[in-house]
Amino acid sequence: MKSTKINISSFPNYWKNLSNWSNRFQYVAILYPQQITQYPFGAFPKCIAVGNKKLNLNPPYFQSLKEFLQKNPDKNLYGYLGYDLKNELEKLNSDNPSSIDWSPMSFFEPTCIIRFENNEITIESNDLEYFQKDIQKVLSQEKEENIFTPSIKNLQSWTSKKDYIKTVKTLRQHIEEGDIYEINYCINFSASVKNFDALQIFQKLSKESPAPFASFLKMDKQYIISASPERFIKLKDNKIISQPIKGTARRGRTESEDLENKDRLSESEKERAENMMIVDLVRNDLAKSGKTGSVKVEEIFGIYSFQQVHQMISTISAIKKKEIHPVDIIKNAFPMGSMTGAPKISAMELIEQYENSKRNVFSGSIGYFNGENQFDFNVLIRSIYYDEQTQTINYQVGSAITYDSDAEAEYEECLLKAKAIEKTLGII
């Protein structure tokens, strides 16, 4: 791709103007990192990618993606990995009902990428003259946009509090019997919507819940609106990075209460045990792709604060084996242990048994490839999923269940994680 730079310091509405401009394309990826101070190994790069050409991927999807990148090693790609890709990796299934149906994997090849850094944007395209002229015009626009207030109807929680507590008690029995050590149990909410502008909802969610891996993805008529705080996996300069989140505490109403909640999370034996189990799982996943002896825990039990919650985050790294393909690195770690539990296969079997809705892309990942040997993917949590054709949305939340879990407290944690989404949608 050819490239050119434009200084944007004299365009105060540059971000909103360019975001709105992107929506004219069939496929759109917006990466909008926030709250990234001292985040280990950085966050998503701030960028907008647009295009009208989706990859023709077929089962087995990971192999199909790998073959495309082997033939096109310099391509930029943006898209998602759905949780149900697990079914092509293990003898698993996904038979629960769903409010929105998604393809297990979807990527597009952008015709234009806008990268943001300080007071400049870099425009990359093979049709540079056209896009430079068009973007220059868009930057100068001062026209007021229409503000849409979504109408949410038939909001449904697929799991009652009573059923949630009953299921958690059953899952604790599985833990006591040695079937699993930990499981990420999730619940689903869905609704019918009208007057729903996905891009405006993304801008609002980003304000309500700023996050280092926030992203917006438009694939045909389906949208993912994400305020994800979690990185699944990154590859850069042959170094593999994974940063699982396990451990959550509410932000305090006062500075002293906030500090107290943060300290309590840091010192919690339960939260540390949850985090350590997933660290061990991730170490094992990265060892499949990393050089012998290169797997390293860079940070354990780190506490990071976001607008709604404090989170316990650990960072694990490895040096890529020379012979392994980047797509196989993702495949070897998918789905992420923070959204399954341990052991991973047993946990996924029980997730299918006890959750009452299909996860689809929830607990999958949005990400990108900058050529064959560089990628970064988030964990799809704190996200809204919207189907424009059926006028349906859904969102899912969950928490890690261990033997020490208190069902009431876990349910309250789920509601806390849903708070920013529900505030954005005008439900609360």
Side-chain angles (χ1 to χ4, degrees):
M1 281 186 168
K2 303 170 189 174
S3 68
T4 190
K5 293 182 183 294
I6 296 176
N7 189 294
I8 54 173
S9 55
S10 60
F11 303 109
N13 298 318
Y14 74 88
W15 178 252
K16 189 164 279 190
N17 286 356
L18 290 173
S19 298
N20 292 338
W21 165 83
S22 73
N23 211 23
R24 70 177 70 165
F25 295 88
Q26 198 169 0
Y27 305 106
V28 180
I30 300 176
L31 309 184
Y32 189 42
Q34 298 171 91
Q35 291 204 338
I36 57 176
T37 306
Q38 298 180 330
Y39 200 88
F41 299 99
F44 270 165
K46 187 176 179 181
C47 72
I48 296 173
V50 298
N52 294 307
K53 183 181 178 183
K54 186 166 72 171
L55 267 60
N56 183 26
L57 299 175
N58 298 293
Y61 288 96
F62 281 112
Q63 183 61 30
S64 187
L65 178 63
K66 179 178 174 179
E67 288 171 1
F68 177 87
L69 284 166
Q70 286 173 328
K71 292 173 185 173
N72 304 276
D74 299 323
K75 293 289 187 183
N76 291 283
L77 300 177
Y78 292 79
Y80 70 79
L81 311 167
Y83 173 76
D84 298 312
L85 286 167
K86 65 184 175 60
N87 301 337
E88 71 173 41
L89 304 179
E90 306 291 345
K91 291 181 179 178
L92 298 166
N93 58 353
S94 299
D95 296 326
N96 287 321
S98 176
S99 54
I100 301 176
D101 287 320
W102 299 77
S103 171
M105 179 190 289
S106 193
F107 283 86
F108 74 92
E109 185 183 333
T111 52
C112 179
I113 303 172
I114 307 171
R115 304 189 191 276
F116 298 77
E117 191 168 2
N118 300 322
N119 291 322
E120 279 189 335
I121 58 170
T122 301
I123 304 168
E124 298 177 9
S125 177
N126 288 329
D127 194 0
L128 189 60
E129 186 178 345
Y130 166 78
F131 279 104
Q132 182 181 1
K133 190 175 179 181
D134 197 33
I135 289 167
Q136 192 84 50
K137 186 169 66 175
V138 167
L139 285 169
S140 306
Q141 289 175 351
E142 296 181 10
K143 187 172 64 175
E144 287 290 319
E145 64 176 324
N146 295 322
I147 304 298
F148 293 89
T149 302
S151 171
I152 312 291
K153 292 185 177 180
N154 305 318
L155 177 65
Q156 177 186 5
S157 171
W158 290 41
T159 305
S160 67
K161 183 177 180 180
K162 181 181 176 182
D163 287 342
Y164 179 92
I165 290 170
K166 182 181 176 183
T167 301
V168 169
K169 288 178 179 177
T170 304
L171 291 171
R172 286 180 73 250
Q173 289 175 4
H174 281 285
I175 294 168
E176 191 172 8
E177 291 165 8
D179 299 328
I180 48 169
Y181 310 116
E182 176 181 343
I183 187 168
N184 190 274
Y185 172 50
C186 300
I187 56 178
N188 185 51
F189 298 81
S190 65
S192 301
V193 293
K194 287 185 178 178
N195 210 37
F196 192 90
D197 186 293
L199 201 50
Q200 286 184 13
I201 292 294
F202 173 63
Q203 291 163 350
K204 192 175 177 185
L205 181 63
S206 298
K207 189 175 180 181
E208 292 288 350
S209 188
F213 302 100
S215 48
F216 173 91
L217 192 64
K218 174 186 177 183
M219 303 294 284
D220 294 309
K221 300 283 187 180
Q222 293 182 316
Y223 300 77
I224 304 173
I225 301 159
S226 178
S228 174
E230 183 174 359
R231 169 177 279 132
F232 164 38
I233 198 163
K234 175 177 181 174
L235 175 67
K236 187 175 182 181
D237 300 327
N238 287 323
K239 186 167 186 173
I240 310 165
I241 306 294
S242 187
Q243 294 175 292
I245 292 179
K246 270 287 159 271
T248 303
R250 186 185 297 271
R251 295 301 303 261
R253 289 166 292 184
T254 64
E255 190 175 337
S256 60
E257 183 187 32
D258 195 52
L259 187 59
E260 187 179 317
N261 290 354
K262 189 175 180 180
D263 289 342
R264 191 180 294 118
L265 174 61
S266 180
E267 295 164 9
S268 168
E269 290 300 321
K270 172 187 174 293
E271 304 288 9
R272 283 173 172 249
E274 286 181 17
N275 197 287
M276 178 58 82
M277 286 181 207
I278 301 307
V279 166
D280 286 342
L281 189 154
V282 172
R283 288 173 65 210
N284 182 63
D285 285 346
L286 297 196
K288 298 171 189 173
S289 305
K291 290 183 178 179
T292 303
S294 72
V295 177
K296 179 181 176 184
V297 179
E298 305 255 354
E299 181 184 34
I300 194 160
F301 310 144
I303 305 298
Y304 293 84
S305 300
F306 301 93
Q307 195 149 308
Q308 310 291 334
V309 293
H310 300 294
Q311 302 273 203
M312 184 179 284
I313 304 175
S314 294
T315 298
I316 306 98
S317 70
I319 303 302
K320 173 186 169 302
K321 290 177 186 172
K322 187 176 180 180
E323 67 273 14
I324 196 158
H325 190 273
V327 170
D328 289 324
I329 296 172
I330 299 169
K331 182 179 175 182
N332 287 341
F334 193 86
M336 60 293 298
S338 62
M339 295 305 296
T340 60
K344 189 185 278 189
I345 296 172
S346 298
M348 288 190 289
E349 289 172 341
L350 291 174
I351 285 168
E352 177 66 18
Q353 183 178 342
Y354 288 103
E355 291 184 8
N356 58 11
S357 64
K358 192 174 179 180
R359 287 194 177 185
N360 278 308
V361 287
F362 168 72
S363 73
S365 183
I366 282 177
Y368 65 89
F369 286 87
N370 274 349
E372 187 177 21
N373 293 304
Q374 183 178 329
F375 62 68
D376 202 358
F377 286 84
N378 71 6
V379 176
L380 271 173
I381 52 176
R382 321 290 160 82
S383 304
I384 302 165
Y385 309 94
Y386 169 55
D387 189 315
E388 187 179 335
Q389 287 183 311
T390 62
Q391 296 287 285
T392 305
I393 61 167
N394 81 285
Y395 56 96
Q396 299 179 54
V397 290
S399 68
I401 307 303
T402 64
Y403 182 74
D404 294 327
S405 290
D406 175 85
E408 290 262 1
E410 298 294 346
Y411 186 74
E412 290 304 315
E413 182 178 319
C414 289
L415 298 185
L416 174 63
K417 289 172 177 175
K419 188 177 178 181
I421 289 173
E422 292 175 346
K423 195 173 178 183
T424 299
L425 294 171
I427 297 169
I428 58 172

